Amino acid sequence: MTEINEQKVTGDFSMYFGPAHPGSGNFSIKCEMRGERVLKATADPGYLHRGFEKLMEYREPMQNAVLSDRVCVLEPLQWNLVHAEAVDYLMEYEVPERAKYIRVILAELSRIQSHFIWYAAMSLGTGFMTGFNIAIGYRDYILDVLNLITGGRVYPAGYICPGGVRKDLPEKAENKILELLPKIDYMRKFALKQNPAWLARFKEIGTLTKEEAIKFGAVGPILRGCGVESDVRRDDPYEIYDELEFDVPVMDDGDAYARFTVGMQEIEESMKIITQSIDRLPKGEVKTPNLKPRVQFQKAEGEIYIRNELSRGEGAFYMVATGQKTPYRVKIRGPSFTHMIPIIEHLLTDVAYADVPAIYWSMYQCPADVDR
Amino acid sequence: MKLGIVIEVVKNVFTKPMTVLFPFEKIEIPERNRGEHEFNIDTCISCGACARICPNLAIEMVEVPSELREKYPKTYPQVDLGKCCFCALCEDTCPKESIKLTTNFYFATFDKDDTILYPVKAE
C-alpha cells in the first residue's frame, strides 16, 4: 500500500530570482527551495518580448536593418551583420571587399565589448563592484570608437546594411581602433587574474558535461567551455573569416570559470582578427553599386537560413521573400534561448541559492534575444 | 601582489580621470553622431521620401502655417522626436540633402510640444 506522507516541511518554499532582482535582467527563474538549497528551477521568460519576427514582415529590408540592432542590445552590430547577409543573398548583392573587412572589424569590436559586459555582469552578480565598474569603463573606450564610426554608441542603426555598410570609415578610424587594442588587452588581463574570491565563486560551480551540452543544444563559449571545438567562423566561414588566422579557445572543465575563461581568451583572438583586417583593409567602395536607400524584395524570391558566430554563440536568420516589398517570413534563432531555458533549469538543480547568480551569469545570457 | 596594488594606486593618482565635470565641461561629440534633425525648407522639393522610409512613422508631411503658405505652398516634413529612433535613413534618402542629423542630443523636456520639429515656424 502506498504511504502518503502528509507531513509538511516548513523549510520548503518557492522563491523568484528576478525579474525585479538587481542582477537578473529582464528574466525570471522560479526556484523551489528547501532551506538554502534550490531543488528545482523553472525558467520564466517573456518580459522582453517585442515580436521582431512579425514586425519585420511589415517593414522593408533597410528598415529591418535598423530594427535588427534591437534583437540583442549587447551585440547589435553582429545582429546587423546576420540580417544584412540574409538580404544580400536574397537580393543577390555583390558586397565590395572593403565593406566585408569593415563588417568584420566592427563585428569583432562588438564581440569584445559584449564580453566586457559579461565580466561586468558576473562581477555584479557576485558582489564584486570594482570589476563591474572597471569593465564598463573600458567598454566605454570601445563605444567611443563605435560612435565615431557608426554615429551611435550602442545602437548603430543598421550601419552594417544590406549591400555593404552605410558609410565608409571616417578619417583616422583605423588608428583609433589600433590605439584601442592595448586598453582592451589590459582589461582582458585584469579579468583573467587568478583572484581567489573569483575562483571561490566560479570554480567547480554549474558544471555542464560535454554530452549534456550537446544534448541541450549549447552553442558558443558555453559549448567551447565544455570541451567541444565549435565555431561558425571556422566551421562555416562567412565574410572574410576564411582568410584570417585565429584560434578557437576550448576548455574541458565545463564549469562557470571555464566558460568565462573561454570568453576572455576569445577577446585575444578577436584582437588578432582586428589587427589582420586593418592591415589588409583594401581601398574602394563600401556599398553595392546603385544601392538605393529603399531596398525592396520586389524582384527577389526564395528562402535563406544564414548563421553567424555571435558573442553568445550561433545566431541565425531565416528569411523568405516572395516578390513583395517586405519579407514574407522571418525567423530569428537567438543563441541564448537554449542556454536560458533547458540548460539553466538543468544546472539549477540541487545547488545553493547563493550560487544561482554565479551560474545564471556564467551562461552569458541576453534576455532580449531569448524573447526577441 | 601587494606591491602591484601600490603601483596601481600611484599610477591612478597621476592618470587623467575618465569622466568630465558636466555641464561645465563636455566631451567632444563625433561629427557622425545622430542627434536632432536640421531641416532646410528652401531646398526641400516635397517628395516625401523621408516620410516613406521612416521606420517609426515619425515624419509627417504637413502644410506650413497659413501666413507662409504663399511662399511654401507644398507639404513639408514634420518630425516627432518622441517617435524618432535616430536611424538617419531620412538623411540618406533625401535627394536634396535638405534633412540632416546634427550632433545635438539634449532633448530633455517637460513639454510634449517641444518634441515636434516643425518645418518652419510662423514669425
Side-chain angles (χ1 to χ4, degrees), chain A residues 256-324:
Chain A
Y257 186 74
R259 292 193 277 273
F260 161 77
T261 311
V262 164
M264 292 304 122
Q265 286 170 353
E266 269 178 31
I267 294 179
E268 197 181 356
E269 302 308 319
S270 294
M271 283 162 61
K272 276 188 206 167
I273 292 172
I274 292 171
T275 318
Q276 289 173 49
S277 305
I278 289 181
D279 284 348
R280 299 176 192 179
L281 190 66
K283 286 195 165 53
E285 291 292 315
V286 294
K287 275 184 194 171
T288 306
N290 304 325
L291 180 75
K292 290 177 183 164
R294 275 185 93 185
V295 175
Q296 294 179 336
F297 277 146
Q298 273 160 337
K299 286 180 189 166
E301 267 188 57
E303 58 180 347
I304 179 67
Y305 181 84
I306 285 264
R307 59 179 187 155
N308 274 13
E309 185 72 23
L310 313 183
S311 324
R312 287 163 178 73
E314 186 182 314
F317 255 84
Y318 170 70
M319 202 179 277
V320 183
T322 53
Q324 297 163 339

Side-chain angles (χ1 to χ4, degrees), chain B residues 35-100:
Chain B
E36 192 184 10
H37 303 64
E38 191 181 68
F39 176 61
N40 185 352
I41 193 166
D42 294 318
T43 54
C44 178
I45 55 168
S46 305
C47 64
C50 50
R52 281 195 298 277
I53 205 167
C54 181
N56 287 9
L57 306 178
I59 301 179
E60 195 184 343
M61 298 300 284
V62 296
E63 289 185 338
V64 296
S66 51
E67 58 266 36
L68 293 167
R69 214 163 285 167
E70 202 173 319
K71 194 178 176 189
Y72 303 115
K74 297 176 183 172
T75 54
Y76 301 93
Q78 170 182 290
V79 186
D80 185 348
L81 293 176
K83 287 182 184 172
C84 179
C85 68
F86 302 95
C87 62
L89 284 178
C90 49
E91 184 184 312
D92 284 6
T93 196
C94 183
K96 295 287 173 187
E97 296 183 2
S98 299
I99 196 158
K100 275 185 181 173

Side-chain angles (χ1 to χ4, degrees), chain A residues 59 62-63 66 70 137-138 141 144 147-152 155-157 159 166-170 186 293-294, chain B residues 1 8 11 18 27 29-34 49 52-56 85-89 91-94:
Chain A
R59 283 168 163 78
M62 205 56 107
Q63 297 174 326
V66 176
R70 263 79 172 171
Y138 274 85
Y141 289 123
D144 286 345
N147 194 10
L148 182 81
I149 298 170
T150 69
Y155 289 125
Y159 178 79
R166 279 177 66 178
K167 284 177 183 173
D168 199 355
L169 289 180
Y186 174 85
R294 275 185 93 185
Chain B
M1 183 70 186
E8 199 71 18
K11 217 193 285 176
M18 284 175 95
I27 296 171
I29 306 297
E31 199 187 331
R32 282 191 187 179
N33 191 72
R34 302 184 304 273
R52 281 195 298 277
I53 205 167
C54 181
N56 287 9
C85 68
F86 302 95
C87 62
L89 284 178
E91 184 184 312
D92 284 6
T93 196
C94 183

Side-chain angles (χ1 to χ4, degrees), chain A residues 59-171:
Chain A
R59 283 168 163 78
E60 292 167 9
M62 205 56 107
Q63 297 174 326
N64 283 341
V66 176
L67 199 60
S68 67
D69 295 358
R70 263 79 172 171
V71 176
C72 179
V73 189
L74 310 175
E75 44 184 11
L77 279 155
Q78 297 174 62
W79 279 108
N80 269 188
L81 181 54
V82 199
H83 173 266
E85 283 176 2
V87 180
D88 287 346
Y89 178 85
L90 290 170
M91 296 290 287
E92 297 174 6
Y93 284 146
E94 285 287 328
V95 180
E97 201 67 6
R98 183 176 173 83
K100 286 184 180 175
Y101 276 83
I102 296 174
R103 282 175 168 196
V104 166
I105 293 168
L106 287 176
E108 292 304 322
L109 277 178
S110 183
R111 185 188 311 279
I112 295 171
Q113 63 88 18
S114 181
H115 282 344
F116 281 178
I117 297 178
W118 189 11
Y119 176 72
M122 283 177 82
S123 308
L124 185 72
T126 50
F128 180 41
M129 276 305 287
T130 312
F132 172 80
N133 289 335
I134 291 178
I136 293 292
Y138 274 85
R139 174 182 176 246
D140 219 72
Y141 289 123
I142 304 175
L143 295 189
D144 286 345
V145 172
L146 293 182
N147 194 10
L148 182 81
I149 298 170
T150 69
R153 284 164 56 78
V154 177
Y155 289 125
Y159 178 79
I160 298 177
C161 69
V165 292
R166 279 177 66 178
K167 284 177 183 173
D168 199 355
L169 289 180
E171 212 180 329

Side-chain angles (χ1 to χ4, degrees), chain A residues 37 56 295:
Chain A
R37 310 273 316 162
M56 285 187 174
V295 175

Side-chain angles (χ1 to χ4, degrees), chain A residues 125-236:
Chain A
T126 50
F128 180 41
M129 276 305 287
T130 312
F132 172 80
N133 289 335
I134 291 178
I136 293 292
Y138 274 85
R139 174 182 176 246
D140 219 72
Y141 289 123
I142 304 175
L143 295 189
D144 286 345
V145 172
L146 293 182
N147 194 10
L148 182 81
I149 298 170
T150 69
R153 284 164 56 78
V154 177
Y155 289 125
Y159 178 79
I160 298 177
C161 69
V165 292
R166 279 177 66 178
K167 284 177 183 173
D168 199 355
L169 289 180
E171 212 180 329
K172 293 180 185 169
E174 291 99 318
N175 290 344
K176 292 258 181 193
I177 296 170
L178 290 174
E179 281 169 18
L180 203 62
L181 297 180
K183 288 173 184 161
I184 293 171
D185 199 41
Y186 174 85
M187 180 60 222
R188 184 186 67 83
K189 284 178 184 157
F190 177 85
L192 277 175
K193 268 181 192 164
Q194 298 276 325
N195 182 341
W198 190 265
L199 290 174
R201 291 308 301 270
F202 294 109
K203 199 91 182 147
E204 292 170 20
I205 297 290
T207 308
L208 191 68
T209 63
K210 198 173 178 176
E211 290 73 28
E212 286 167 349
I214 294 168
K215 187 178 110 187
F216 289 124
V219 285
I222 312 301
L223 185 61
R224 291 192 285 273
C226 301
V228 183
E229 195 174 333
S230 156
D231 192 318
V232 182
R233 289 175 293 176
R234 170 163 295 179
D235 304 338
D236 183 10

